[in-house]
Amino acid sequence: MTGRVARLVASDAVGALIVVLAAVAIGVAVVALLSDEPAAAVDAMLTGPFDGRYQIGSTLARATPFIFTGAALALSFRVGVFNLGAEGQLYLGAAAGTAVAIRIDLAGPLTIVLATVAGALAGAAWAAIPGALRAYAGANEIVMTLMLNFVAILFVGWLLSGPLADPARVGFPQSESIPDDGRLPRLLEPSNLHLGFVIACVGCLVLHVALTRTSWGLGLRLSGENAEFATYVGLRPERSMLVGMLCSGAAAGMGGIVHILGDQLRLLDGFSASYGFIGILIALLVRNNLLLVPVAAVFYSWVISGAQVMEETTDVPREVVSVVQGVLFLLVTATAVTTYLRRRSTPQSAQTLDPVGAA
Amino acid sequence: MSHATTPLAELSAITKVYPNGVVALRGVDLRLRAGEIHALLGENGAGKSTLVKVLFGLEEPSDGVVRIRGHERASHRPADAIAAGIGMVHQHFQLIPSLSVAENLVLGDEPTRRGMLDRAAARRLCIDLGERHGIHLDPDARVGGLAVGDKQRLEILKALRTGADVLILDEPTAVLNPHETERLLETARSLTMNGTGIVLITHKLKEVMAIADVVTVLRGGQIVAHVDRADTTIDELAVAMVGRDVNRPTPDRERMPGDIVLEITGARTSGPGRGRLRGVDLALRSGEILGVAGVEGNGQDDLIEVVAGLRPLAAGDVTIDGETLRRRSPRERRRAGVAHIAADRMTRGAALHASVADNFVADRFSRRPFSRRGWLRRRAIDAAARDAVDRFDIRTDSVQTGVASLSGGNIQKVVVARELDGVPRVVLAAHPTRGVDLGAMARIHEELIAARDRGAAVVVVSSELDELRQVADRIVVLSEGAIVASFDEPTDATDEELGRAMAGAAA
């Protein structure tokens, strides 16, 4: 059985690896063409993010929110709903958690736990709206989740200029800072790597086990696979959709508050660097395999960090990284689309054993 | 070289090994002459489809030679095959439902006038080509509204339009009713008059005996028989396919049905067309198999679905052991002992991208012994699935393999294995043997009869009258959503009688 898991991970990993290598190769080519000192620039981009304790810590810290949103998206895709609202859920999770951490005075770790739970609940609650409408009214969850992002982000903006605003009023919308008790411990000083990275990785593992080893998870997966089939065998795909959306929202919301408690230490307006949307990329890259989500997130963070190091140390502007990002998006979308098409066409061509062996 | 001796198409010593090591074909020869119908027989997974895919250029052989009209083909991809006059009609149609017949026909190579589609030319082409080959279709009809048989004839017409004189028909009759089958076979016959050679893949030996000139039987990727139709018999072919005698189960006519289990009273459904039920009354006893005959789309689907809980009743009632099912969900009905072999295994009967094992336990994985305290017990699940794989001879690498990579017949066996496991009270079997080979068909019939003998009330819907006569204890005929005839002695019901009843209200 471990062999089976290994094979599954391997087949998803190989696909992702090809895409990743192609994107990086193109990025390297662009850098080499632009720079007067190509060797140094490429070196800075590729090895910079892992050059020493500080850089490694920063790269992993940067990956943390991507792990949460990547897991949120992978989970929703596995259950057959498209939660494109992770960005909004992340903001609301961050806001709810921040409110708890600032307003409720508890001793030490309890603050962290309570704030994290509040963040997850807020994310889930926000996801419940499109989830329930999708499941029981057949509304289109893609449009709903996308639109609700704006509502959530603007609502958090209002909170920061009103109820949650920093009493010190420094001029731009932010909350007061998280009390020391409520901060997640740092792991690799002086970098900003924090316990949230570990929480995120463990979370992915837990979700993976829940999906693959429990009857709850099998029900969700079968419903996501084919809702008509699920109804036919006596499962309740509508309920699964809602549950999937709730769990996905909770993961995104938790990602938001963990980022505040571990990295930013206060809630800022517009703090997310499109974490919710990059989550889509991460999930597609690893074909919704939760065990690989952290790997993909670290890879993505490596690309961004590399660009930053390169800008700091050589003559290449960091904008080059958007080339790599663009290529990555194109390749991932292209492979996701072909996989989707192949999946749809397998019934016609599956007369013999599948030569690709992709189950 | 004279026309008479050079085969239209010739495959010599074809071997096909997939990258994962599966050997699909071992040194297989196939020769197709002009004006010949060459039947290709074999069980699911015997290599028939792979062989014709090689001929059509969809699969590259690992070894062996493809010759078209005596010329060896160096590169042989579908485009080359089409250019060389080979046409293939796939099991699953490749038509666009929202376009008209004529538009579908010209799709891919449209006649144009000033850069726009020339509809008049397309219509003319449709009519001319139809005239020439005896395939008459309304060029303006929307394909989505065509009967299955007409869609198939349109596919054949499409192949002929590219100038094909080698036509591959991959299980063309699997989806047709008896009348449509007859028309298709007529069409095939008339095409051979013009020198077209036809490779016909089928499971149905009766069809082979009716129209084939030569028969090649594959088993396990090798040729086990190659005979002229005139020199063989159905039984010989069956033995060659399966490799052993297929013992046909004979229902025990002496058995005593028990109490009424399933009762349907005044069932009506709403919806468009002939497919809705217009007041059906049925009572089915424990230990009884009811065969439901009818032209497809005359209420069979609705009849099954109102019992399974997948379609609401507009009026009437369905009861099991006297208890109404009206407000019960599909889940509760399954708990009450309703098993349902869905007509469409691709969209409803199976989760294609889940494993064989997960499909097998899909309706009961949350109960013991398959899970405990919420945790799946993989060992128990896999063991049960392996059992089913053995019992039904499901051809798969392992129970972890995704169902999508199984052949259609083997997917059907997975569905049947799941539904007939245990002791169901009511079995709803919609086309339980559609697209499966002889051995599997016998197996499925045995299992249906075994379920009956364990006390189930069994409903079998089929377009194969032979199948109904073979397994059913009683046959009713549905037409336009009502029962129009009932035969208490199925073996006495002739094709003519049944056909008349089926056509009665439908014509």
Side-chain angles (χ1 to χ4, degrees):
Chain A
M1 191 147 108
T2 42
R4 190 170 64 90
V5 172
R7 225 172 334 135
L8 192 70
V9 170
S11 94
D12 291 344
V14 168
L17 203 63
I18 293 172
V19 168
V20 160
L21 288 179
V24 170
I26 291 172
V28 164
V30 171
V31 168
L33 284 174
L34 282 180
S35 178
D36 294 330
E37 32 176 357
V42 168
D43 182 55
M45 184 175 91
L46 297 185
T47 65
F50 293 109
D51 185 17
R53 192 182 166 91
Y54 174 76
Q55 292 291 7
I56 292 175
S58 306
T59 305
L60 296 185
R62 192 171 263 138
T64 305
F66 296 133
I67 303 179
F68 279 104
T69 56
L73 267 296
L75 183 71
S76 89
F77 291 152
R78 290 282 284 265
V79 183
V81 286
F82 291 81
N83 175 19
L84 302 189
E87 185 82 354
Q89 292 144 16
L90 177 108
Y91 269 92
L92 285 184
T98 305
V100 167
I102 294 174
R103 294 291 148 83
I104 300 177
D105 197 14
L106 284 166
L110 211 52
T111 312
I112 297 177
V113 172
L114 211 62
T116 310
V117 169
L121 287 179
W126 197 239
I129 302 168
L133 287 170
R134 166 72 183 90
Y136 298 105
N140 184 322
E141 84 277 22
I142 298 180
V143 175
M144 276 188 294
T145 50
L146 267 177
M147 293 302 148
L148 285 173
N149 282 334
F150 296 106
V151 180
I153 294 169
L154 291 171
F155 176 66
V156 171
W158 171 77
L159 282 181
L160 286 176
S161 57
L164 273 181
D166 186 354
R169 298 274 171 191
V170 284
F172 54 86
Q174 63 175 36
S175 72
E176 56 190 287
S177 69
I178 304 288
D180 285 348
D181 263 5
R183 298 183 180 184
L184 285 165
R186 293 280 159 113
L187 298 180
L188 263 184
E189 301 282 8
S191 81
N192 55 351
L193 180 64
H194 54 90
L195 191 65
F197 179 76
V198 179
I199 296 175
C201 292
V202 172
C204 282
L205 186 66
V206 169
L207 276 180
H208 176 83
V209 168
L211 269 185
T212 54
R213 301 286 175 90
T214 68
S215 60
W216 176 82
L218 182 53
L220 288 188
R221 282 187 291 130
L222 288 176
S223 299
E225 197 63 71
N226 181 343
E228 190 183 341
F229 168 78
T231 307
Y232 155 77
V233 294
L235 298 170
R236 284 173 287 215
E238 298 82 16
R239 178 186 290 196
S240 293
M241 283 175 191
L242 178 58
V243 168
M245 199 61 116
L246 290 176
C247 293
S248 178
M254 201 164 150
I257 184 56
V258 165
H259 188 60
I260 302 300
L261 299 184
D263 192 301
Q264 307 234 293
L265 307 181
R266 66 170 76 219
L267 182 62
L268 298 165
D269 194 22
F271 73 92
S272 162
S274 297
Y275 296 135
F277 297 106
I278 302 298
I280 303 172
L281 179 78
I282 307 269
L284 290 178
L285 184 62
V286 295
R287 294 198 237 165
N288 309 327
N289 185 327
L290 281 157
L291 283 183
L292 287 174
V293 162
V295 182
V298 169
F299 159 75
Y300 190 79
S301 156
W302 170 58
V303 172
I304 303 174
S305 307
Q308 196 174 341
V309 176
M310 183 171 67
E311 183 181 51
E312 284 161 6
T313 57
T314 70
D315 63 336
V316 183
R318 83 158 73 181
E319 278 67 36
V320 166
V321 79
S322 40
V323 173
V324 178
Q325 283 172 6
V327 170
L328 207 56
F329 260 106
L330 275 177
L331 290 179
V332 166
T333 329
T335 44
V337 167
T338 50
T339 317
Y340 174 72
L341 290 178
R342 203 170 52 217
R343 285 181 58 147
R344 286 189 32 149
S345 68
T346 25
Q348 280 95 317
S349 56
Q351 280 301 305
T352 45
L353 290 167
D354 182 6
V356 189
Chain B
M1 284 187 284
S2 82
H3 187 72
T5 52
T6 312
L8 281 177
E10 189 177 12
L11 301 174
S12 311
I14 299 290
T15 294
K16 174 70 190 177
V17 185
Y18 283 108
N20 61 5
V22 173
V23 182
L25 295 171
R26 264 178 239 271
V28 173
D29 299 317
L30 185 79
R31 189 171 303 157
L32 181 70
R33 295 176 194 286
E36 175 182 88
I37 296 184
H38 193 137
L40 205 51
L41 283 173
E43 304 205 83
N44 302 126
K48 305 169 307 244
S49 290
T50 310
L51 187 63
V52 295
K53 280 183 188 166
V54 168
L55 177 57
F56 192 59
L58 284 167
E59 296 275 9
E60 199 184 337
S62 316
D63 196 18
V65 181
V66 181
R67 283 194 197 85
I68 309 293
R69 283 182 207 83
H71 298 292
E72 189 172 328
R73 312 285 296 179
S75 121
H76 192 61
R77 300 169 54 82
D80 307 320
I82 291 168
I86 300 177
M88 179 155 176
V89 176
H90 296 268
Q91 234 180 91
H92 299 262
F93 301 140
Q94 305 182 332
L95 298 169
I96 300 181
S98 55
L99 297 183
S100 74
V101 166
E103 286 163 341
N104 264 286
L105 179 67
V106 298
L107 199 68
D109 181 19
E110 305 85 358
T112 51
R113 239 178 69 183
R114 289 187 223 107
M116 305 286 278
L117 172 65
D118 187 348
R119 280 171 211 282
R123 292 187 73 246
R124 244 185 348 262
L125 185 77
C126 183
I127 293 165
D128 289 352
L129 209 58
E131 203 66 51
R132 187 143 25 103
H133 297 291
I135 300 178
H136 302 285
L137 293 166
D138 173 7
D140 301 319
R142 260 177 35 117
V143 164
L146 291 185
V148 194
D150 285 339
K151 285 184 190 165
Q152 193 162 50
R153 284 208 302 280
L154 173 56
E155 284 276 16
I156 294 174
L157 210 53
K158 265 173 67 186
L160 293 171
R161 190 204 166 209
T162 63
D165 54 5
V166 173
L167 202 56
I168 303 167
L169 304 178
D170 189 359
E171 286 190 43
T173 59
V175 291
L176 301 185
N177 64 41
H179 176 64
E180 287 174 324
T181 300
E182 212 159 286
R183 278 184 75 183
L184 174 79
L185 297 183
E186 269 168 35
T187 305
R189 252 291 153 240
S190 79
L191 287 174
T192 59
M193 302 296 178
N194 308 333
T196 306
I198 297 179
V199 178
L200 174 72
I201 296 188
T202 182
H203 287 308
K204 299 179 188 170
L205 298 174
K206 263 172 105 178
E207 289 165 12
V208 173
M209 296 312 280
I211 68 161
D213 299 304
V214 240
V215 186
T216 295
V217 183
L218 288 174
R219 192 168 73 233
Q222 281 173 305
I223 292 184
V224 289
H226 176 76
V227 286
D228 280 351
R229 190 256 329 219
D231 303 335
T232 187
T233 65
I234 285 195
D235 289 339
E236 252 179 55
L237 291 175
V239 172
M241 270 170 73
V242 184
R244 60 185 151 82
D245 270 315
V246 184
N247 42 356
R248 299 172 172 235
T250 38
D252 174 14
R253 305 280 173 200
E254 302 304 311
R255 100 242 110 62
M256 293 290 289
D259 299 333
I260 289 177
V261 174
L262 174 68
E263 196 162 14
I264 300 172
T265 42
R268 288 175 174 275
T269 54
S270 51
R274 292 183 309 199
R276 67 169 196 269
L277 298 180
R278 297 180 304 130
V280 168
D281 296 292
L282 270 178
L284 205 55
R285 293 174 182 280
S286 161
E288 183 180 39
I289 299 183
L290 173 75
V292 178
V295 174
E296 216 156 308
N298 274 271
Q300 295 95 322
D301 291 347
D302 281 22
L303 179 67
I304 295 281
E305 288 177 4
V306 295
V307 181
L310 299 167
R311 183 178 295 275
L313 279 169
D317 199 3
V318 176
T319 63
I320 287 186
D321 295 327
E323 260 182 71
T324 180
L325 293 182
R326 281 210 75 153
R327 302 209 160 273
R328 302 286 205 86
S329 68
R331 182 192 189 84
E332 290 165 326
R333 295 185 196 211
R334 277 190 177 263
R335 293 269 150 94
V338 177
H340 174 197
I341 299 168
D344 190 337
R345 58 187 172 234
M346 293 302 185
T347 62
R348 178 179 281 169
L352 292 180
H353 298 282
S355 68
V356 171
D358 288 353
N359 267 281
F360 180 67
V361 296
D363 62 333
R364 64 193 90 121
F365 60 80
S366 56
R367 296 199 296 269
R368 287 185 175 221
F370 303 120
S371 50
R372 212 153 74 189
R373 294 198 196 93
W375 292 93
L376 291 176
R377 300 180 67 209
R378 273 286 157 205
R379 212 164 295 162
I381 292 174
D382 290 355
R386 266 195 297 272
D387 253 17
V389 164
D390 288 344
R391 201 148 63 92
F392 283 87
D393 190 23
I394 299 169
R395 308 281 164 82
T396 174
D397 291 350
S398 82
V399 294
Q400 306 304 344
T401 306
V403 164
S405 63
L406 269 55
S407 70
N410 279 305
I411 297 177
Q412 181 69 9
K413 293 189 217 167
V414 173
V415 177
V416 174
R418 177 184 60 230
E419 299 300 331
L420 294 187
D421 198 68
V423 189
R425 280 301 274 161
V426 172
V427 175
L428 307 168
H431 307 281
T433 60
R434 182 185 273 171
V436 307
D437 56 57
L438 271 184
M441 193 183 289
R443 186 77 258 210
I444 291 171
H445 288 165
E446 271 169 36
E447 292 286 341
L448 284 171
I449 290 168
R452 177 201 69 186
D453 291 344
R454 290 197 299 269
V458 183
V459 180
V460 178
V461 170
S462 177
S463 45
E464 299 294 317
L465 299 179
D466 285 343
E467 169 165 60
L468 294 178
R469 271 192 292 259
Q470 208 175 320
V471 299
D473 302 309
R474 185 152 69 90
I475 294 180
V476 295
V477 179
L478 267 185
S479 179
E480 297 199 343
I483 292 174
V484 293
S486 179
F487 300 84
D488 285 340
E489 279 303 324
T491 38
D492 296 346
T494 63
D495 276 4
E496 287 68 36
E497 280 179 301
L498 286 165
R500 246 198 321 278
M502 284 160 68

